[in-house]
Amino acid sequence: MSTPIETIPFWDYTATTGPEHWASICPEFATAAAYQYQSPIAVDTATCLASEAPSSLLLDYQTQTFMVDTFTQSIHLVPTEFSNTLTFQNKIYSLQDIHVHMPNEHVIDGIMQPLEIHFVHRTSDQEVLVLGLFVKVGENGPALPTLNWTQGATVVFNPADLLGATNHYFNYSGSLTTPPTVGPVNWVLLKDIQIAPAAWLDAIRESLPCGANNRPTQPLNGRHVHVY
Ligand SMILES: [Zn+2]
């Protein structure tokens, strides 16, 4: 998430200050981790609940300017204004941050992917929705924006150009996947896996401020995943 790293205690993905220890780093992290519906999760598509309602996900993304910033163990594309919006189940959310996890955090039917991109949105009431996009390596995908992932760079692009189809997705309620792992967060995980050349993924990996930055999957605790 987009809390500047200097304002929160240090954490990472290593054995000593990694996910198994986040809850004991400070009281704020402990309180957040006590929320019983944590993310990411492993999704078993055989047990998902098929939605009877049609998809109500509507993206309204335009070309805009983002600042590239490395903090909280990821690379973030931070929009200079919150003008891009997404509507889901009649709520309007604005896009406030894009960041990456390598490899993926959510695991669909046990399959790992090299990259999961999180598009973090908030309503005016600070309700959070994260749109998750999985990316795999391939040479036959669409032309993706060529992004400069270097700290301090400015990039101008339409985030919709990173996405494939957006009408099929998994939806469930969870938390942020980085400390403090607060909830609820409304998760929308796109089923359409994006295809990117190896070099496109390598450019991200080379700019990541750390190695693997994926939190392990968390217990469902009775939650259901809806599929559209
Ligand atoms: Zn994330």
Side-chain angles (χ1 to χ4, degrees), residues 9-52:
F10 182 80
W11 59 270
D12 60 16
Y13 295 90
T14 64
T16 49
T17 40
E20 301 304 317
H21 302 279
W22 290 349
S24 52
I25 288 176
C26 68
E28 183 187 7
F29 291 2
T31 301
Y35 181 68
Q36 65 174 326
Y37 300 132
Q38 293 285 302
S39 293
I41 59 168
V43 175
D44 173 9
T45 58
T47 63
C48 290
L49 301 178
S51 175
E52 311 219 327

mmCIF file of all heavy atoms in Angstrom, residues 9-52:
data_model
loop_
_atom_site.group_PDB
_atom_site.id
_atom_site.type_symbol
_atom_site.label_atom_id
_atom_site.label_comp_id
_atom_site.label_asym_id
_atom_site.label_seq_id
_atom_site.Cartn_x
_atom_site.Cartn_y
_atom_site.Cartn_z
ATOM 1 N N PRO A 9 7.460 0.933 10.900
ATOM 2 C CA PRO A 9 8.649 0.133 11.229
ATOM 3 C C PRO A 9 9.084 -0.738 10.051
ATOM 4 O O PRO A 9 8.274 -1.082 9.193
ATOM 5 C CB PRO A 9 8.175 -0.739 12.393
ATOM 6 C CG PRO A 9 6.956 -0.080 12.920
ATOM 7 C CD PRO A 9 6.327 0.628 11.761
ATOM 8 N N PHE A 10 10.351 -1.126 10.059
ATOM 9 C CA PHE A 10 10.882 -1.917 8.958
ATOM 10 C C PHE A 10 10.302 -3.329 8.962
ATOM 11 O O PHE A 10 10.151 -3.963 9.990
ATOM 12 C CB PHE A 10 12.419 -2.020 9.048
ATOM 13 C CG PHE A 10 13.003 -2.793 7.908
ATOM 14 C CD1 PHE A 10 13.185 -2.196 6.671
ATOM 15 C CD2 PHE A 10 13.328 -4.143 8.058
ATOM 16 C CE1 PHE A 10 13.697 -2.919 5.605
ATOM 17 C CE2 PHE A 10 13.841 -4.870 6.993
ATOM 18 C CZ PHE A 10 14.024 -4.261 5.768
ATOM 19 N N TRP A 11 9.973 -3.795 7.765
ATOM 20 C CA TRP A 11 9.530 -5.174 7.547
ATOM 21 C C TRP A 11 9.990 -5.575 6.155
ATOM 22 O O TRP A 11 10.300 -4.720 5.317
ATOM 23 C CB TRP A 11 7.999 -5.301 7.669
ATOM 24 C CG TRP A 11 7.277 -4.430 6.684
ATOM 25 C CD1 TRP A 11 6.881 -3.139 6.878
ATOM 26 C CD2 TRP A 11 6.903 -4.764 5.342
ATOM 27 N NE1 TRP A 11 6.286 -2.654 5.743
ATOM 28 C CE2 TRP A 11 6.287 -3.620 4.793
ATOM 29 C CE3 TRP A 11 7.027 -5.908 4.541
ATOM 30 C CZ2 TRP A 11 5.801 -3.595 3.470
ATOM 31 C CZ3 TRP A 11 6.543 -5.886 3.242
ATOM 32 C CH2 TRP A 11 5.930 -4.732 2.716
ATOM 33 N N ASP A 12 10.036 -6.856 5.915
ATOM 34 C CA ASP A 12 10.388 -7.314 4.569
ATOM 35 C C ASP A 12 9.887 -8.739 4.388
ATOM 36 O O ASP A 12 8.906 -9.153 5.039
ATOM 37 C CB ASP A 12 11.891 -7.183 4.310
ATOM 38 C CG ASP A 12 12.725 -7.995 5.288
ATOM 39 O OD1 ASP A 12 12.161 -8.893 5.975
ATOM 40 O OD2 ASP A 12 13.944 -7.747 5.391
ATOM 41 N N TYR A 13 10.550 -9.494 3.517
ATOM 42 C CA TYR A 13 10.127 -10.874 3.229
ATOM 43 C C TYR A 13 11.187 -11.891 3.637
ATOM 44 O O TYR A 13 11.169 -13.023 3.192
ATOM 45 C CB TYR A 13 9.783 -11.010 1.738
ATOM 46 C CG TYR A 13 8.579 -10.171 1.345
ATOM 47 C CD1 TYR A 13 8.736 -8.855 0.901
ATOM 48 C CD2 TYR A 13 7.289 -10.683 1.446
ATOM 49 C CE1 TYR A 13 7.645 -8.075 0.564
ATOM 50 C CE2 TYR A 13 6.182 -9.908 1.108
ATOM 51 C CZ TYR A 13 6.369 -8.617 0.669
ATOM 52 O OH TYR A 13 5.276 -7.844 0.341
ATOM 53 N N THR A 14 12.124 -11.482 4.498
ATOM 54 C CA THR A 14 13.197 -12.381 4.912
ATOM 55 C C THR A 14 12.757 -13.229 6.109
ATOM 56 O O THR A 14 11.695 -13.013 6.694
ATOM 57 C CB THR A 14 14.453 -11.577 5.307
ATOM 58 O OG1 THR A 14 14.140 -10.788 6.459
ATOM 59 C CG2 THR A 14 14.904 -10.668 4.159
ATOM 60 N N ALA A 15 13.634 -14.161 6.503
ATOM 61 C CA ALA A 15 13.304 -15.078 7.592
ATOM 62 C C ALA A 15 13.155 -14.355 8.928
ATOM 63 O O ALA A 15 12.386 -14.774 9.788
ATOM 64 C CB ALA A 15 14.373 -16.164 7.701
ATOM 65 N N THR A 16 13.870 -13.240 9.114
ATOM 66 C CA THR A 16 13.873 -12.590 10.427
ATOM 67 C C THR A 16 12.813 -11.503 10.583
ATOM 68 O O THR A 16 12.287 -11.298 11.679
ATOM 69 C CB THR A 16 15.257 -11.969 10.712
ATOM 70 O OG1 THR A 16 15.643 -11.197 9.571
ATOM 71 C CG2 THR A 16 16.282 -13.046 10.976
ATOM 72 N N THR A 17 12.488 -10.787 9.510
ATOM 73 C CA THR A 17 11.476 -9.717 9.588
ATOM 74 C C THR A 17 10.410 -9.896 8.503
ATOM 75 O O THR A 17 9.796 -8.941 8.047
ATOM 76 C CB THR A 17 12.120 -8.316 9.469
ATOM 77 O OG1 THR A 17 13.147 -8.367 8.469
ATOM 78 C CG2 THR A 17 12.709 -7.861 10.784
ATOM 79 N N GLY A 18 10.218 -11.163 8.086
ATOM 80 C CA GLY A 18 9.272 -11.484 7.026
ATOM 81 C C GLY A 18 7.870 -11.748 7.538
ATOM 82 O O GLY A 18 7.552 -11.495 8.708
ATOM 83 N N PRO A 19 7.013 -12.270 6.653
ATOM 84 C CA PRO A 19 5.580 -12.429 6.948
ATOM 85 C C PRO A 19 5.266 -13.147 8.259
ATOM 86 O O PRO A 19 4.297 -12.785 8.932
ATOM 87 C CB PRO A 19 5.079 -13.234 5.742
ATOM 88 C CG PRO A 19 5.981 -12.815 4.621
ATOM 89 C CD PRO A 19 7.332 -12.622 5.250
ATOM 90 N N GLU A 20 6.094 -14.128 8.655
ATOM 91 C CA GLU A 20 5.809 -14.848 9.898
ATOM 92 C C GLU A 20 5.995 -13.959 11.120
ATOM 93 O O GLU A 20 5.538 -14.285 12.221
ATOM 94 C CB GLU A 20 6.724 -16.081 10.018
ATOM 95 C CG GLU A 20 6.605 -17.077 8.876
ATOM 96 C CD GLU A 20 5.174 -17.574 8.684
ATOM 97 O OE1 GLU A 20 4.508 -17.860 9.704
ATOM 98 O OE2 GLU A 20 4.712 -17.642 7.525
ATOM 99 N N HIS A 21 6.687 -12.841 10.949
ATOM 100 C CA HIS A 21 7.013 -11.967 12.082
ATOM 101 C C HIS A 21 6.299 -10.621 12.051
ATOM 102 O O HIS A 21 6.427 -9.843 12.999
ATOM 103 C CB HIS A 21 8.528 -11.724 12.131
ATOM 104 C CG HIS A 21 9.330 -12.977 12.249
ATOM 105 N ND1 HIS A 21 9.539 -13.620 13.444
ATOM 106 C CD2 HIS A 21 9.931 -13.744 11.302
ATOM 107 C CE1 HIS A 21 10.252 -14.726 13.237
ATOM 108 N NE2 HIS A 21 10.501 -14.820 11.946
ATOM 109 N N TRP A 22 5.571 -10.336 10.973
ATOM 110 C CA TRP A 22 4.972 -8.995 10.841
ATOM 111 C C TRP A 22 4.117 -8.628 12.061
ATOM 112 O O TRP A 22 4.192 -7.497 12.541
ATOM 113 C CB TRP A 22 4.107 -8.918 9.579
ATOM 114 C CG TRP A 22 4.880 -8.935 8.292
ATOM 115 C CD1 TRP A 22 6.230 -8.804 8.140
ATOM 116 C CD2 TRP A 22 4.335 -9.086 6.967
ATOM 117 N NE1 TRP A 22 6.560 -8.873 6.803
ATOM 118 C CE2 TRP A 22 5.413 -9.050 6.063
ATOM 119 C CE3 TRP A 22 3.042 -9.261 6.463
ATOM 120 C CZ2 TRP A 22 5.234 -9.168 4.678
ATOM 121 C CZ3 TRP A 22 2.865 -9.379 5.099
ATOM 122 C CH2 TRP A 22 3.951 -9.327 4.214
ATOM 123 N N ALA A 23 3.331 -9.593 12.540
ATOM 124 C CA ALA A 23 2.393 -9.273 13.627
ATOM 125 C C ALA A 23 3.111 -8.906 14.927
ATOM 126 O O ALA A 23 2.518 -8.282 15.813
ATOM 127 C CB ALA A 23 1.441 -10.436 13.865
ATOM 128 N N SER A 24 4.388 -9.293 15.057
ATOM 129 C CA SER A 24 5.105 -8.983 16.303
ATOM 130 C C SER A 24 6.032 -7.784 16.161
ATOM 131 O O SER A 24 6.780 -7.452 17.083
ATOM 132 C CB SER A 24 5.882 -10.216 16.781
ATOM 133 O OG SER A 24 6.686 -10.717 15.750
ATOM 134 N N ILE A 25 5.999 -7.097 15.023
ATOM 135 C CA ILE A 25 6.895 -5.956 14.804
ATOM 136 C C ILE A 25 6.421 -4.716 15.557
ATOM 137 O O ILE A 25 7.227 -3.983 16.137
ATOM 138 C CB ILE A 25 7.049 -5.679 13.286
ATOM 139 C CG1 ILE A 25 7.913 -6.786 12.647
ATOM 140 C CG2 ILE A 25 7.665 -4.308 13.030
ATOM 141 C CD1 ILE A 25 8.068 -6.694 11.149
ATOM 142 N N CYS A 26 5.106 -4.488 15.592
ATOM 143 C CA CYS A 26 4.584 -3.318 16.315
ATOM 144 C C CYS A 26 3.094 -3.541 16.579
ATOM 145 O O CYS A 26 2.464 -4.368 15.924
ATOM 146 C CB CYS A 26 4.808 -2.026 15.528
ATOM 147 S SG CYS A 26 3.839 -1.913 14.016
ATOM 148 N N PRO A 27 2.515 -2.808 17.523
ATOM 149 C CA PRO A 27 1.093 -2.999 17.848
ATOM 150 C C PRO A 27 0.167 -2.764 16.651
ATOM 151 O O PRO A 27 -0.849 -3.452 16.496
ATOM 152 C CB PRO A 27 0.845 -1.955 18.946
ATOM 153 C CG PRO A 27 2.187 -1.734 19.570
ATOM 154 C CD PRO A 27 3.181 -1.880 18.458
ATOM 155 N N GLU A 28 0.511 -1.804 15.795
ATOM 156 C CA GLU A 28 -0.348 -1.516 14.640
ATOM 157 C C GLU A 28 -0.412 -2.737 13.708
ATOM 158 O O GLU A 28 -1.480 -3.120 13.221
ATOM 159 C CB GLU A 28 0.184 -0.302 13.870
ATOM 160 C CG GLU A 28 -0.724 0.081 12.700
ATOM 161 C CD GLU A 28 -0.143 1.181 11.824
ATOM 162 O OE1 GLU A 28 1.025 1.572 12.037
ATOM 163 O OE2 GLU A 28 -0.862 1.630 10.913
ATOM 164 N N PHE A 29 0.740 -3.372 13.470
ATOM 165 C CA PHE A 29 0.758 -4.559 12.610
ATOM 166 C C PHE A 29 0.003 -5.710 13.282
ATOM 167 O O PHE A 29 -0.664 -6.504 12.624
ATOM 168 C CB PHE A 29 2.194 -5.011 12.326
ATOM 169 C CG PHE A 29 2.991 -4.080 11.450
ATOM 170 C CD1 PHE A 29 2.450 -2.880 10.986
ATOM 171 C CD2 PHE A 29 4.293 -4.411 11.091
ATOM 172 C CE1 PHE A 29 3.201 -2.021 10.183
ATOM 173 C CE2 PHE A 29 5.042 -3.565 10.286
ATOM 174 C CZ PHE A 29 4.509 -2.370 9.836
ATOM 175 N N ALA A 30 0.141 -5.813 14.613
ATOM 176 C CA ALA A 30 -0.532 -6.892 15.343
ATOM 177 C C ALA A 30 -2.043 -6.760 15.234
ATOM 178 O O ALA A 30 -2.760 -7.734 14.977
ATOM 179 C CB ALA A 30 -0.101 -6.873 16.812
ATOM 180 N N THR A 31 -2.536 -5.547 15.426
ATOM 181 C CA THR A 31 -3.977 -5.305 15.332
ATOM 182 C C THR A 31 -4.479 -5.648 13.925
ATOM 183 O O THR A 31 -5.515 -6.295 13.760
ATOM 184 C CB THR A 31 -4.291 -3.835 15.653
ATOM 185 O OG1 THR A 31 -3.827 -3.565 16.976
ATOM 186 C CG2 THR A 31 -5.779 -3.549 15.568
ATOM 187 N N ALA A 32 -3.727 -5.215 12.916
ATOM 188 C CA ALA A 32 -4.144 -5.468 11.536
ATOM 189 C C ALA A 32 -4.174 -6.965 11.244
ATOM 190 O O ALA A 32 -5.093 -7.478 10.601
ATOM 191 C CB ALA A 32 -3.201 -4.754 10.563
ATOM 192 N N ALA A 33 -3.154 -7.691 11.727
ATOM 193 C CA ALA A 33 -3.060 -9.118 11.444
ATOM 194 C C ALA A 33 -4.120 -9.926 12.179
ATOM 195 O O ALA A 33 -4.420 -11.059 11.813
ATOM 196 C CB ALA A 33 -1.662 -9.632 11.808
ATOM 197 N N ALA A 34 -4.692 -9.326 13.232
ATOM 198 C CA ALA A 34 -5.742 -10.023 13.984
ATOM 199 C C ALA A 34 -7.060 -10.044 13.214
ATOM 200 O O ALA A 34 -7.975 -10.806 13.559
ATOM 201 C CB ALA A 34 -5.936 -9.361 15.349
ATOM 202 N N TYR A 35 -7.181 -9.200 12.202
ATOM 203 C CA TYR A 35 -8.372 -9.238 11.341
ATOM 204 C C TYR A 35 -8.412 -10.622 10.695
ATOM 205 O O TYR A 35 -7.442 -11.064 10.077
ATOM 206 C CB TYR A 35 -8.267 -8.126 10.287
ATOM 207 C CG TYR A 35 -9.439 -8.052 9.347
ATOM 208 C CD1 TYR A 35 -10.700 -7.658 9.797
ATOM 209 C CD2 TYR A 35 -9.285 -8.367 7.995
ATOM 210 C CE1 TYR A 35 -11.771 -7.589 8.921
ATOM 211 C CE2 TYR A 35 -10.346 -8.297 7.122
ATOM 212 C CZ TYR A 35 -11.591 -7.913 7.591
ATOM 213 O OH TYR A 35 -12.654 -7.846 6.719
ATOM 214 N N GLN A 36 -9.554 -11.336 10.836
ATOM 215 C CA GLN A 36 -9.535 -12.766 10.502
ATOM 216 C C GLN A 36 -9.563 -13.058 9.014
ATOM 217 O O GLN A 36 -9.293 -14.190 8.606
ATOM 218 C CB GLN A 36 -10.703 -13.477 11.192
ATOM 219 C CG GLN A 36 -12.064 -13.044 10.708
ATOM 220 C CD GLN A 36 -13.179 -13.881 11.324
ATOM 221 O OE1 GLN A 36 -12.996 -15.065 11.577
ATOM 222 N NE2 GLN A 36 -14.326 -13.268 11.563
ATOM 223 N N TYR A 37 -9.908 -12.065 8.195
ATOM 224 C CA TYR A 37 -9.980 -12.315 6.754
ATOM 225 C C TYR A 37 -8.778 -11.692 6.047
ATOM 226 O O TYR A 37 -8.840 -10.581 5.533
ATOM 227 C CB TYR A 37 -11.293 -11.771 6.198
ATOM 228 C CG TYR A 37 -12.516 -12.395 6.829
ATOM 229 C CD1 TYR A 37 -13.569 -11.616 7.288
ATOM 230 C CD2 TYR A 37 -12.606 -13.777 6.976
ATOM 231 C CE1 TYR A 37 -14.690 -12.203 7.865
ATOM 232 C CE2 TYR A 37 -13.713 -14.366 7.564
ATOM 233 C CZ TYR A 37 -14.755 -13.574 8.002
ATOM 234 O OH TYR A 37 -15.859 -14.158 8.579
ATOM 235 N N GLN A 38 -7.678 -12.420 6.052
ATOM 236 C CA GLN A 38 -6.424 -11.910 5.517
ATOM 237 C C GLN A 38 -6.254 -12.289 4.039
ATOM 238 O O GLN A 38 -6.877 -13.218 3.531
ATOM 239 C CB GLN A 38 -5.252 -12.463 6.338
ATOM 240 C CG GLN A 38 -5.213 -11.934 7.771
ATOM 241 C CD GLN A 38 -4.714 -10.494 7.849
ATOM 242 O OE1 GLN A 38 -3.616 -10.183 7.426
ATOM 243 N NE2 GLN A 38 -5.548 -9.620 8.403
ATOM 244 N N SER A 39 -5.356 -11.564 3.385
ATOM 245 C CA SER A 39 -5.019 -11.822 1.981
ATOM 246 C C SER A 39 -3.504 -11.964 1.862
ATOM 247 O O SER A 39 -2.779 -11.431 2.700
ATOM 248 C CB SER A 39 -5.486 -10.656 1.102
ATOM 249 O OG SER A 39 -6.893 -10.586 1.066
ATOM 250 N N PRO A 40 -3.007 -12.638 0.818
ATOM 251 C CA PRO A 40 -3.754 -13.257 -0.273
ATOM 252 C C PRO A 40 -4.344 -14.597 0.153
ATOM 253 O O PRO A 40 -4.104 -15.046 1.271
ATOM 254 C CB PRO A 40 -2.684 -13.444 -1.351
ATOM 255 C CG PRO A 40 -1.433 -13.722 -0.559
ATOM 256 C CD PRO A 40 -1.550 -12.820 0.657
ATOM 257 N N ILE A 41 -5.091 -15.212 -0.760
ATOM 258 C CA ILE A 41 -5.639 -16.544 -0.521
ATOM 259 C C ILE A 41 -5.344 -17.444 -1.716
ATOM 260 O O ILE A 41 -5.004 -16.967 -2.800
ATOM 261 C CB ILE A 41 -7.167 -16.510 -0.285
ATOM 262 C CG1 ILE A 41 -7.884 -15.909 -1.498
ATOM 263 C CG2 ILE A 41 -7.507 -15.748 0.993
ATOM 264 C CD1 ILE A 41 -9.400 -16.085 -1.481
ATOM 265 N N ALA A 42 -5.474 -18.741 -1.473
ATOM 266 C CA ALA A 42 -5.449 -19.708 -2.567
ATOM 267 C C ALA A 42 -6.893 -19.894 -3.033
ATOM 268 O O ALA A 42 -7.780 -20.147 -2.211
ATOM 269 C CB ALA A 42 -4.870 -21.029 -2.087
ATOM 270 N N VAL A 43 -7.128 -19.731 -4.319
ATOM 271 C CA VAL A 43 -8.472 -19.871 -4.882
ATOM 272 C C VAL A 43 -8.583 -21.251 -5.536
ATOM 273 O O VAL A 43 -7.769 -21.610 -6.384
ATOM 274 C CB VAL A 43 -8.759 -18.770 -5.921
ATOM 275 C CG1 VAL A 43 -10.116 -18.995 -6.591
ATOM 276 C CG2 VAL A 43 -8.703 -17.395 -5.274
ATOM 277 N N ASP A 44 -9.587 -22.006 -5.088
ATOM 278 C CA ASP A 44 -9.893 -23.303 -5.704
ATOM 279 C C ASP A 44 -11.127 -23.076 -6.580
ATOM 280 O O ASP A 44 -12.231 -22.913 -6.063
ATOM 281 C CB ASP A 44 -10.169 -24.328 -4.602
ATOM 282 C CG ASP A 44 -10.661 -25.654 -5.158
ATOM 283 O OD1 ASP A 44 -10.634 -25.848 -6.393
ATOM 284 O OD2 ASP A 44 -11.102 -26.494 -4.352
ATOM 285 N N THR A 45 -10.917 -23.056 -7.879
ATOM 286 C CA THR A 45 -12.026 -22.651 -8.763
ATOM 287 C C THR A 45 -13.206 -23.613 -8.678
ATOM 288 O O THR A 45 -14.340 -23.227 -8.961
ATOM 289 C CB THR A 45 -11.572 -22.528 -10.223
ATOM 290 O OG1 THR A 45 -11.026 -23.781 -10.653
ATOM 291 C CG2 THR A 45 -10.532 -21.431 -10.377
ATOM 292 N N ALA A 46 -12.952 -24.860 -8.248
ATOM 293 C CA ALA A 46 -14.047 -25.838 -8.146
ATOM 294 C C ALA A 46 -15.036 -25.471 -7.040
ATOM 295 O O ALA A 46 -16.183 -25.908 -7.064
ATOM 296 C CB ALA A 46 -13.480 -27.232 -7.904
ATOM 297 N N THR A 47 -14.592 -24.677 -6.068
ATOM 298 C CA THR A 47 -15.474 -24.338 -4.944
ATOM 299 C C THR A 47 -15.962 -22.891 -4.985
ATOM 300 O O THR A 47 -16.619 -22.430 -4.052
ATOM 301 C CB THR A 47 -14.757 -24.581 -3.600
ATOM 302 O OG1 THR A 47 -13.637 -23.701 -3.516
ATOM 303 C CG2 THR A 47 -14.280 -26.018 -3.477
ATOM 304 N N CYS A 48 -15.638 -22.161 -6.062
ATOM 305 C CA CYS A 48 -16.114 -20.776 -6.170
ATOM 306 C C CYS A 48 -17.616 -20.750 -6.387
ATOM 307 O O CYS A 48 -18.186 -21.671 -6.976
ATOM 308 C CB CYS A 48 -15.442 -20.061 -7.338
ATOM 309 S SG CYS A 48 -13.698 -19.726 -7.074
ATOM 310 N N LEU A 49 -18.256 -19.695 -5.934
ATOM 311 C CA LEU A 49 -19.691 -19.526 -6.126
ATOM 312 C C LEU A 49 -19.920 -18.715 -7.396
ATOM 313 O O LEU A 49 -19.450 -17.581 -7.508
ATOM 314 C CB LEU A 49 -20.304 -18.797 -4.930
ATOM 315 C CG LEU A 49 -20.122 -19.470 -3.576
ATOM 316 C CD1 LEU A 49 -20.744 -18.611 -2.475
ATOM 317 C CD2 LEU A 49 -20.750 -20.858 -3.585
ATOM 318 N N ALA A 50 -20.611 -19.335 -8.353
ATOM 319 C CA ALA A 50 -20.890 -18.626 -9.602
ATOM 320 C C ALA A 50 -21.930 -17.554 -9.343
ATOM 321 O O ALA A 50 -22.989 -17.830 -8.778
ATOM 322 C CB ALA A 50 -21.386 -19.598 -10.661
ATOM 323 N N SER A 51 -21.611 -16.312 -9.741
ATOM 324 C CA SER A 51 -22.553 -15.223 -9.503
ATOM 325 C C SER A 51 -23.703 -15.285 -10.487
ATOM 326 O O SER A 51 -23.504 -15.516 -11.676
ATOM 327 C CB SER A 51 -21.841 -13.883 -9.620
ATOM 328 O OG SER A 51 -22.787 -12.858 -9.494
ATOM 329 N N GLU A 52 -24.911 -15.105 -9.965
ATOM 330 C CA GLU A 52 -26.078 -15.076 -10.833
ATOM 331 C C GLU A 52 -26.240 -13.689 -11.445
ATOM 332 O O GLU A 52 -26.832 -13.532 -12.503
ATOM 333 C CB GLU A 52 -27.326 -15.439 -10.038
ATOM 334 C CG GLU A 52 -27.090 -16.701 -9.222
ATOM 335 C CD GLU A 52 -28.286 -17.623 -9.188
ATOM 336 O OE1 GLU A 52 -29.412 -17.109 -9.206
ATOM 337 O OE2 GLU A 52 -28.060 -18.853 -9.147
#
